[in-house]
Amino acid sequence: MKSGKKKFRKSTRNGKTGSRGNKSRRRKLLDAILHALNYFCTHTTLHGLRYIVDPELHIVGRFLWFIVFVISSTIASNVIYSLAFRFQAAPTSINIRSMHYETSNLPFPSVTLCPSDRVDWNRALELETRIFSNVTDKESVETFRKILGKLSMMSFGDFDDLEFLRSRNVHSLADINVTQVLREVMPRCDQLLSTCWWRNADRNCCEIFEVQKTEYGFCYSFNSEMAQAAPVNSTESRPRRASGYGDWSGVKVTIHLGNITKPPHSEEIDGVVVIINGPRVWPNSGTMVPPGSKVSVSLDCVSGYATKRVLELEEGKQPCRYDRTGEYNQETCLSLCKRYWVAKYCGCNPSFLFPATARYRDCTVEDFFCLIDYNVSFGGIIGLFLGGSLLSAVELVYYLAVAVLSSLRRRARGRPRARSSVTHVRTVLPILDYSPLKPRAKRIPIFANYGLAELNSNRY
């Protein structure tokens, strides 16, 4: 009996130890989950959650933020549900017209090549002797050279690179046609491109590649209907179309970046920006290919169009209706929209980046000051709107109310604040979860128009 009792007590004791161990493990698991939730709420970009777990806020304030977040989430969920219900109520009917749709029925995309340095310095020095043949002002020549060096690497939204002009006198450069200068000093086609191939045959590169304005400046494009120069072969149908698919049916080209004389003190990374989009689309976004690489790109084309509701908008509300070919393209529309806002604020068109038009005069060197001043608006206003939300406004109102109430409370108490030799810094307004107001313009953006199904980069 005694031994039986001992065993019973021992097993009971082991049972208590096991239950305590289970409780301890559950408590640790719960603490880990709560810690993870607290970390998520503190670091998430969802507005309002970080105030719910902020230990420095009063419990009432944290509860109010919780109520606001729940209400906002409920409204957002209802909107998403209603949109999903509308989509399900009107499904899209897709009919397959043919299982053997020929590739030749589709226009081949335009391929635009922009070297990282778009000014050949030898050509720039030759042009300089003609522009300043009777000018002895060394400061003007130095300013002209520095402007060319910056424009050689700039794209739209990088006008702050010209900030140095604020300390320079540019009046003597006001009559220089910036667009014409950049056109004349760009690398020559036979200097940059060689060994071209198109539709199973060797081709002269300078016959199939044409000068093309882009948001990077002057470049060379294949099969673009927006190119500056007329096609060399007028008998060839445009836009060009491939006869099949695969490596041998596309376009091939060898690029010689080493033949370009870079501007002095150039800090740009060597490479070439490749822009691929529709033949009637203004080139505005590409990707950088480093030197010494062999790149094969296969494309997955997605076609977009403007709905009837967009095309029937009132004159003052439509962003842009058609391009000069009578077609609507979203990317071209965005570029023309940028041109419109530059013309609205600065009264000119930077025609070395956008299509020339009789509606706006071309920007001169003196107009660069305006471009610098409004560079924040041109480069970052989209990021500002993408980062904000209704809860951002609630945050702003909340902190303003707290600041006002704190000030009124101190005045009501009538007690002056004690001065201290230590400087205390308090944050009154929060740093909202906005994107930067002026993000650095991407010199190596991603493909925007044609999806990349495959990109192989093999070093030599």
Side-chain angles (χ1 to χ4, degrees):
M1 292 292 293
K2 291 183 179 179
S3 61
K5 289 182 179 180
K6 289 181 179 179
K7 290 181 179 179
F8 177 74
R9 290 174 182 173
K10 186 176 181 180
S11 62
T12 304
R13 194 178 296 114
N14 291 338
K16 291 181 178 179
T17 304
S19 73
R20 290 176 183 172
N22 291 335
K23 289 182 179 179
S24 177
R25 284 192 293 270
R26 285 196 296 269
R27 189 180 298 110
K28 289 182 180 179
L29 179 61
L30 180 62
D31 290 342
I33 294 175
L34 292 176
H35 179 74
L37 289 175
N38 183 76
Y39 182 86
F40 172 78
C41 294
T42 305
H43 295 82
T44 183
T45 57
L46 294 175
H47 302 296
L49 281 181
R50 59 183 173 184
Y51 304 114
I52 299 175
V53 298
D54 189 353
E56 296 184 2
L57 284 181
H58 192 274
I59 186 65
V60 176
R62 296 165 66 179
F63 178 74
L64 290 176
W65 273 111
F66 175 76
I67 296 298
V68 170
F69 181 80
V70 170
I71 293 174
S72 301
S73 300
T74 302
I75 295 174
S77 300
N78 288 334
V79 171
I80 294 173
Y81 175 79
S82 63
L83 292 176
F85 181 79
R86 287 174 56 186
F87 177 79
Q88 293 294 334
T92 303
S93 178
I94 301 177
N95 297 319
I96 300 176
R97 182 178 178 181
S98 173
M99 294 294 292
H100 305 282
Y101 195 76
E102 296 182 359
T103 307
S104 58
N105 292 330
L106 297 172
F108 194 83
S110 70
V111 180
T112 305
L113 306 175
C114 299
S116 54
D117 287 291
R118 291 171 287 283
V119 170
D120 183 271
W121 203 244
N122 287 337
R123 302 191 72 186
L125 294 179
E126 293 175 3
L127 181 63
E128 178 187 297
T129 57
R130 301 201 304 267
I131 295 178
F132 299 99
S133 57
N134 298 322
V135 177
T136 58
D137 184 5
K138 293 184 178 180
E139 182 179 354
S140 297
V141 175
E142 181 186 350
T143 302
F144 173 77
R145 291 181 177 181
K146 195 165 184 179
I147 291 174
L148 278 187
K150 294 297 183 180
L151 293 178
S152 171
M153 303 172 287
M154 278 177 46
S155 59
F156 182 81
D158 290 337
F159 298 120
D160 53 343
D161 289 347
L162 300 171
E163 188 74 29
F164 72 94
L165 289 177
R166 295 190 185 278
S167 60
R168 304 292 181 96
N169 182 5
V170 299
H171 182 70
S172 60
L173 306 177
D175 295 332
I176 294 178
N177 188 325
V178 179
T179 302
Q180 184 63 30
V181 167
L182 291 176
R183 171 67 177 85
E184 292 189 29
V185 299
M186 69 179 297
R188 297 194 315 270
C189 173
D190 58 353
Q191 176 187 15
L192 181 65
L193 309 176
S194 72
T195 321
C196 289
W197 172 279
W198 166 244
R199 292 195 64 165
N200 303 306
D202 293 320
R203 301 291 295 271
N204 184 333
C205 293
C206 298
E207 290 183 357
I208 62 175
F209 278 88
E210 300 145 357
V211 176
Q212 170 73 64
K213 284 185 191 175
T214 72
E215 291 193 19
Y216 295 90
F218 282 95
C219 305
Y220 288 99
S221 67
F222 169 81
N223 203 36
S224 173
E225 297 299 291
M226 313 294 285
Q228 303 303 300
V232 176
N233 186 359
S234 58
T235 61
E236 189 177 18
S237 62
R238 301 292 296 265
R240 298 181 177 94
R241 302 171 188 270
S243 57
Y245 59 90
D247 291 343
W248 296 100
S249 63
V251 61
K252 294 184 179 182
V253 60
T254 301
I255 306 169
H256 303 276
L257 296 175
N259 292 344
I260 303 175
T261 305
K262 301 174 63 173
H265 312 297
S266 173
E267 299 176 355
E268 190 70 3
I269 301 174
D270 285 339
V272 58
V273 177
V274 180
I275 308 173
I276 300 178
N277 46 29
R280 293 188 174 92
V281 174
W282 190 258
N284 56 19
S285 181
T287 191
M288 177 72 79
V289 175
S293 301
K294 183 178 181 180
V295 179
S296 176
V297 181
S298 58
L299 301 175
D300 183 13
C301 178
V302 178
S303 178
Y305 63 94
T307 62
K308 185 177 180 180
R309 294 181 62 185
V310 172
L311 299 178
E312 291 180 349
L313 287 173
E314 298 177 7
E315 185 73 21
K317 294 182 179 180
Q318 55 184 338
C320 46
R321 199 162 185 173
Y322 304 102
D323 60 17
R324 65 184 184 185
T325 63
E327 294 189 6
Y328 177 92
N329 290 289
Q330 183 185 25
E331 294 82 6
T332 303
C333 181
L334 291 174
S335 294
L336 296 180
C337 181
K338 296 174 187 176
R339 183 185 70 176
Y340 167 78
W341 285 103
V342 173
K344 179 178 180 180
Y345 285 108
C346 298
C348 67
N349 169 34
S351 56
F352 50 90
L353 303 175
F354 299 113
T357 174
R359 185 177 179 184
Y360 312 119
R361 64 177 180 84
D362 292 346
C363 290
T364 65
V365 174
E366 290 183 321
D367 293 313
F368 287 167
F369 294 105
C370 177
L371 298 177
I372 297 169
D373 291 337
Y374 285 101
N375 194 62
V376 171
S377 299
F378 301 150
I381 199 66
I382 295 177
L384 173 64
F385 282 102
L386 289 179
S389 69
L390 178 61
L391 282 177
S392 302
V394 174
E395 287 178 337
L396 183 60
V397 173
Y398 169 76
Y399 271 83
L400 287 175
V402 169
V404 172
L405 291 176
S406 299
S407 177
L408 293 176
R409 183 179 299 177
R410 286 196 300 269
R411 291 184 182 181
R413 291 176 179 176
R415 291 184 296 182
R417 300 180 65 180
R419 295 188 176 182
S420 171
S421 60
V422 181
T423 302
H424 297 277
V425 179
R426 299 186 63 188
T427 303
V428 177
L429 292 177
I431 301 176
L432 303 181
D433 296 324
Y434 292 140
S435 300
L437 183 61
K438 169 56 176 77
R440 184 67 175 175
K442 297 180 181 178
R443 288 193 171 89
I444 309 179
I446 61 172
F447 281 106
N449 306 313
Y450 276 73
L452 289 182
E454 179 185 357
L455 191 151
N456 299 320
S457 180
N458 302 313
R459 293 282 181 179
Y460 283 153

